[in-house]
Amino acid sequence: MAASNIWAALPGKPPLRRCARGPAGGRDHKTEEPFSTDQSGNPAGRNCLAFLPPGGTSGCSATGAGATDSLQVPGRNPRVPVTYCWGTLASRPLPREPRLLRSHHPCPWHYLHVSSYEDSLAPTCFRAHLHRRGRGSTPNMASAMTDRNPRAAEASGTYTYTSRPRAVACQRRRYRDSILQPVEESMNYGNIMYDRRVIRGNTYALPTGQVPGQPDPLELQQQQQARRRALARKRAQQQLRPRTPEPVEGRKHVDVQTELYLEEIADRIVEIDMECQTDAFLDRPPTPLFIPAKTGKDVATQILEGELFDFDLEVKPMLEVLVGKTIEQALLEVMEEEELANLRASQYAYEEIRNVELAEVQRLEEQERRHREEKERRKRQQWEIVHKQNETSQKISARAFAQRYLADLLPSVFDSLRNSGYFYDPIERDIEVGFLPWLLNEVEKTMEHSMVGRTVLDMLIREVVERRINDYESKEAAQPAQRSDDVPNDPNTVPDPSGSNLFQSQASATPSGRFSSSLRNHWLTFNGGRRLKT
Amino acid sequence: MPLPDTMFCAQQIHIPPELPDILKQFTKAAIRTQPADVLQWSAGYFSALSRGDPLPVKDRIEMPVATQKTDTGLTQGLLKVLHKQCSHKQYVELADLEKKWKNLCLPVEKFRAIVDLDPSEDKMEWIKFLALGCSSLGGTLNTAMKNVCEILTSDPEGGPARIPFETFAYIYQYLSALDPEFSAVETETYLANLRDTSESRKNGMIGLSDFVIGKKPV
């Protein structure tokens, strides 16, 4: 720590250094690497430094109790201060710096083992480191919980890391907490080998995880219990801690700085300032044309006109080109035009043939159409003839049938009509309706007249007879002796005593009644006969 | 810097800029026309070019040029060239026509033979000369009429080659009158038949298919 402070106090030199802190279990090795500003240093060498097992590997055992804290992954990038390193990397995609994740452990077994799983271990290692660094002097319970409970994070499907925002732990303490108890970070490391997220062995036999989003209730309960237990333990520790005795009355405890406030920096580097100054730039004049130095001798020759240039000779290639090119081009063009003209001519010829054929086709079509129409017309005619024939025969048969059917009908209708009295003789009917009743009336009148006459005659006769009887009896009474034998033989008195008596009594009572009764009898007989007749 | 009078190198030779084009057109025309005597034909070509007349150039290259060596050398293409050059006026001067004939490297004897068929003074109706030339190409009257049609038509090459029926009838009558084998009655009936078809269907134009196929069914 002291060395760290010294470095920090150096002016102009940032504390570019790492302090790889070992686990708490006595292996307090420090690999200090003062980082030089020289950027061209060998990074491999720098990294190699980190993997060097420290001198004392005491207490390292893969199964030891201290091995739970055995993996420490400090910031591996030597160019960056440690605090800065973890602060930024938390928000950075994890696999970007695989070198960060190398384990720094004294035990070679661990080192080898973990480094072989470097890729798969990457998130876990990194996270473990983050928690450890972040906890510092005040262990964060929540982050510890997430550290201890990988299953909870695993249950949600994807790996997520959440941490409460907190202040950056101060590198340098302002004061000592307690002299008696040296500051000891509660290193609550978890063995990464027992981390459930670390898959050991064959990944094919991977157990299928729980349904994401539904944490195991048993697990939740266990978590709560563990949390409660940890709280209780912490409280008990606080109570059991030996404290300074209570201050005397009127005083109070005050934290006092007992050590020196300032430290002398011994190894001061002597600095010397040196200066150098270049000249100001001047405008550079253009480079003069390079003219090589003249060598050799000048010699002259006179050339007369026409000696060098012969027009006929010189013009020949040009003419060749001209004529050759012209002929070639002309030939090409003629061929091309001929071809095009041929094409066009054959097109026209084809079109002509096609037109002729089209006309022929049209003619044939027209002929065919006419034939078809003719056929249709004939067919229709024939059809009409057949139809008409059918109709005629049907009519004829219907007529014959109707005739036969109606032959019986007419007499029967006349019969029934005659029976029901629709046909009658007008004279006969007149006689029946008009004449006969009149005749009957007349007959009746005549009969009545004769009856009245007869009744009147009867009455006359009866009166006459009675008078004669009376006369005769009176005479008889005058001669009773003589005439006593003659009485039973009297024809008027003997026949039908009862009827005659009745008739006599009635006649004697009311002559008109006698008359009416006889008249009624007559009527009855008359009416009865008539009724029968009608 | 003024150009020196003396020439020192080939780069100083100046070529007129229109020379290559003229040369090329001339070469093309020569290739296409294939004249027997290039020099004579060239004289005719350049004189026509300088005067602005129609050039004695065939429209299409004619592959069967063997007739130029064995026969008279007159072909349909050459007749077409002549027609192009002379058709702008109804009557042509025989001297002028002979000059053009010579420019096409055709033998003068042939020209005389053609002119002798219908002797006239110094002028001749161009259409008659054309008809005579066509008949001298060989073949029957029908082939001659076919050639006439192909030369006179304004349809594109390979097309139906239609010409007005009046022209056709005129040439046909002229040629058949020269031929003693054809009677006037036959000619009249034939033409009447053709007139009916052409007037009813093709608004007065007569094409190759109207009389060639009738004679020679494919």
Side-chain angles (χ1 to χ4, degrees):
Chain A
M1 214 22 121
S4 161
N5 286 336
I6 288 166
W7 281 103
L10 271 176
K13 290 249 179 181
L16 293 170
R17 62 198 313 293
R18 280 176 306 150
C19 175
R21 197 179 294 265
R27 286 177 286 108
D28 211 11
H29 66 278
K30 289 180 183 170
T31 310
E32 288 187 2
E33 190 193 4
F35 179 62
S36 64
T37 48
D38 181 17
Q39 298 285 327
S40 64
N42 187 9
R46 227 179 285 135
N47 285 330
C48 280
L49 193 69
F51 303 137
L52 277 177
T57 57
S58 64
C60 165
S61 72
T63 53
T68 49
D69 308 328
S70 58
L71 283 183
Q72 189 188 19
V73 190
R76 191 55 41 198
N77 195 341
R79 302 187 186 192
V80 190
V82 178
T83 49
Y84 170 68
C85 172
W86 70 261
T88 45
L89 279 176
S91 62
R92 211 182 283 175
L94 294 178
R96 275 178 93 178
E97 295 207 19
R99 287 206 183 280
L100 265 172
L101 311 170
R102 294 277 169 80
S103 74
H104 179 241
H105 195 270
C107 172
W109 186 87
H110 265 136
Y111 164 64
L112 286 174
H113 193 70
V114 175
S115 65
S116 68
Y117 279 104
E118 188 184 50
D119 286 339
S120 61
L121 273 180
T124 317
C125 291
F126 184 55
R127 203 177 67 123
H129 158 63
L130 288 179
H131 288 317
R132 225 155 287 131
R133 293 297 307 174
R135 224 174 291 143
S137 60
T138 56
N140 191 344
M141 214 51 206
S143 60
M145 281 306 294
T146 48
D147 202 5
R148 278 176 195 156
N149 255 316
R151 280 291 297 274
E154 197 183 39
S156 64
T158 54
Y159 172 72
T160 54
Y161 169 71
T162 53
S163 161
R164 215 172 53 190
R166 59 207 164 205
V168 176
C170 192
Q171 277 297 91
R172 191 179 153 214
R173 290 287 161 78
R174 300 268 156 71
Y175 56 90
R176 304 272 159 81
D177 267 341
S178 134
I179 304 168
L180 292 178
Q181 290 186 334
V183 178
E184 193 175 10
E185 291 176 6
S186 66
M187 295 296 183
N188 224 347
Y189 298 118
N191 188 358
I192 200 163
M193 294 313 295
Y194 290 92
D195 195 323
R196 281 189 169 174
R197 287 163 294 172
V198 177
I199 294 162
R200 284 167 296 181
N202 197 350
T203 50
Y204 287 139
L206 205 64
T208 53
Q210 271 186 329
V211 185
Q214 285 189 349
D216 196 0
L218 195 73
E219 198 129 353
L220 275 177
Q221 202 179 351
Q222 282 178 355
Q223 282 174 21
Q224 283 176 352
Q225 278 182 357
R227 207 179 301 152
R228 237 176 281 129
R229 228 178 288 135
L231 278 173
R233 207 184 302 141
K234 196 179 167 193
R235 225 175 288 126
Q237 263 184 358
Q238 277 184 352
Q239 284 180 355
L240 286 176
R241 191 173 153 198
R243 322 193 65 149
T244 27
E246 289 295 313
V248 193
E249 186 70 27
R251 310 251 179 125
K252 62 173 181 179
H253 287 311
V254 174
D255 291 326
V256 178
Q257 169 81 21
T258 52
E259 277 200 345
L260 289 173
Y261 280 99
L262 299 173
E263 290 177 12
E264 188 187 1
I265 298 167
D267 48 350
R268 184 190 171 92
I269 295 171
V270 182
E271 294 175 355
I272 299 170
D273 288 344
M274 297 276 288
E275 278 186 354
C276 74
Q277 175 67 50
T278 56
D279 289 338
F281 280 110
L282 294 173
D283 280 339
R284 187 165 165 274
T287 316
L289 197 68
F290 174 69
I291 302 168
K294 201 170 162 187
T295 56
K297 268 184 186 173
D298 287 343
V299 175
T301 309
Q302 189 186 6
I303 298 170
L304 295 176
E305 197 171 329
E307 273 183 338
L308 280 182
F309 183 75
D310 186 3
F311 181 83
D312 294 341
L313 208 69
E314 295 290 330
V315 88
K316 201 173 268 178
M318 195 180 290
L319 277 184
E320 272 171 13
V321 166
L322 198 63
V323 172
K325 275 283 168 196
T326 307
I327 287 180
E328 189 186 331
Q329 188 72 26
L331 206 59
L332 271 178
E333 279 182 24
V334 165
M335 277 164 69
E336 191 180 311
E337 282 164 20
E338 278 299 312
E339 190 176 344
L340 283 179
N342 266 332
L343 281 178
R344 215 167 290 129
S346 52
Q347 269 179 9
Y348 281 121
Y350 170 75
E351 197 172 331
E352 175 66 14
I353 292 170
R354 190 164 162 274
N355 281 340
V356 169
E357 280 177 357
L358 272 182
E360 180 70 14
V361 162
Q362 219 165 8
R363 193 182 64 79
L364 287 177
E365 270 180 1
E366 190 67 20
Q367 193 180 353
E368 174 65 23
R369 193 182 60 79
R370 266 185 280 113
H371 283 172
R372 209 168 45 234
E373 277 177 5
E374 179 69 20
K375 205 171 86 181
E376 284 293 320
R377 207 170 54 240
R378 295 245 175 117
K379 222 156 76 179
R380 213 179 308 124
Q381 272 181 358
Q382 194 65 28
W383 181 253
E384 275 171 12
I385 288 169
V386 169
H387 198 66
K388 217 168 260 181
Q389 270 185 352
N390 275 343
E391 209 169 306
T392 314
S393 65
Q394 269 186 359
K395 272 181 183 168
I396 289 169
S397 62
R399 184 168 171 273
F401 175 74
Q403 272 184 346
R404 213 179 58 216
Y405 182 71
L406 292 179
D408 295 340
L409 186 67
L410 215 58
S412 68
V413 164
F414 277 130
D415 278 350
S416 63
L417 282 178
R418 196 173 291 135
N419 284 341
S420 49
Y422 282 95
F423 300 108
Y424 51 84
D425 194 357
I427 299 169
E428 190 182 350
R429 190 166 178 84
D430 194 29
I431 286 172
E432 275 183 1
V433 172
F435 177 68
L436 279 181
W438 174 81
L439 189 66
L440 280 175
N441 271 338
E442 294 301 305
V443 167
E444 206 173 317
K445 272 181 202 164
T446 318
M447 290 282 286
E448 212 168 323
H449 287 156
S450 65
M451 198 71 82
V452 169
R454 215 177 283 165
T455 311
V456 169
L457 190 66
D458 275 352
M459 286 166 64
L460 289 176
I461 291 170
R462 183 170 288 257
E463 261 183 67
V464 168
V465 168
E466 278 180 359
R467 206 170 290 154
R468 273 187 181 181
I469 286 173
N470 287 338
D471 289 346
Y472 188 72
E473 279 179 355
S474 56
K475 271 180 190 175
E476 212 91 350
Q479 308 169 348
Q482 264 181 333
R483 290 277 185 197
S484 64
D485 296 12
D486 295 337
V487 174
N489 294 332
D490 192 351
N492 283 329
T493 56
V494 173
D496 197 5
S498 62
S500 65
N501 287 338
L502 186 64
F503 190 77
Q504 279 171 356
S505 66
Q506 279 178 346
S508 61
T510 51
S512 62
R514 265 179 66 195
F515 165 72
S516 65
S517 70
S518 68
L519 201 63
R520 196 177 61 214
N521 281 344
H522 171 74
W523 267 106
L524 279 175
T525 51
F526 175 74
N527 281 337
R530 180 144 182 227
R531 205 178 294 131
L532 277 175
K533 197 170 185 183
T534 56
Chain B
M1 196 166 68
L3 204 71
D5 296 337
T6 52
M7 281 192 177
F8 296 118
C9 60
Q11 275 75 26
Q12 282 174 311
I13 300 172
H14 176 71
I15 298 172
E18 62 266 21
L19 176 66
D21 191 46
I22 293 173
L23 206 58
K24 196 176 82 174
Q25 296 302 332
F26 171 72
T27 318
K28 278 170 75 176
I31 291 171
R32 202 167 272 165
T33 315
Q34 299 284 329
D37 188 352
V38 182
L39 204 57
Q40 201 173 15
W41 175 81
S42 301
Y45 176 86
F46 282 111
S47 60
L49 191 65
S50 62
R51 270 177 301 173
D53 288 343
L55 296 174
V57 180
K58 288 183 190 171
D59 287 335
R60 297 286 313 277
I61 198 163
E62 275 187 309
M63 289 322 275
V65 284
T67 52
Q68 282 184 344
K69 282 157 190 152
T70 60
D71 204 0
T72 57
L74 189 63
T75 60
Q76 190 193 341
L78 291 173
L79 274 178
K80 206 165 185 174
V81 170
L82 281 177
H83 174 66
K84 208 163 57 179
Q85 285 178 307
C86 305
S87 61
H88 53 278
K89 46 194 175 182
Q90 196 182 0
Y91 287 92
V92 289
E93 311 245 345
L94 281 182
D96 185 29
L97 190 59
E98 189 176 350
K99 207 173 89 187
K100 282 177 176 149
W101 185 272
K102 274 186 195 163
N103 280 341
L104 284 174
C105 319
L106 293 170
V108 192
E109 296 78 25
K110 183 74 182 174
F111 179 72
R112 300 250 179 272
I114 290 175
V115 173
D116 283 344
L117 282 175
D118 188 18
S120 56
E121 292 300 313
D122 55 346
K123 273 192 172 183
M124 188 171 182
E125 206 175 340
W126 164 245
I127 202 89
K128 284 182 180 174
F129 184 83
L130 181 68
L132 290 175
C134 285
S135 68
S136 73
L137 284 178
T140 60
L141 185 59
N142 255 315
T143 29
M145 290 316 294
K146 177 169 165 286
N147 282 324
V148 166
C149 280
E150 281 172 355
I151 290 169
L152 288 181
T153 183
S154 55
D155 283 333
E157 193 185 357
R162 289 167 301 183
I163 58 169
F165 183 76
E166 284 72 29
T167 320
F168 180 82
Y170 180 75
I171 295 170
Y172 193 85
Q173 278 167 345
Y174 174 69
L175 286 181
S176 59
L178 286 180
D179 197 341
E181 288 178 17
F182 282 85
S183 67
V185 185
E186 268 181 58
T187 312
E188 284 306 314
T189 49
Y190 179 64
L191 283 178
N193 276 338
L194 282 180
R195 184 193 299 275
D196 285 345
T197 57
S198 69
E199 278 180 1
S200 63
R201 289 194 292 144
K202 309 196 175 175
N203 51 46
M205 302 289 275
I206 183 162
L208 279 185
S209 54
D210 290 330
F211 63 95
V212 171
I213 290 178
K215 294 281 178 187
K216 183 178 65 176
V218 180

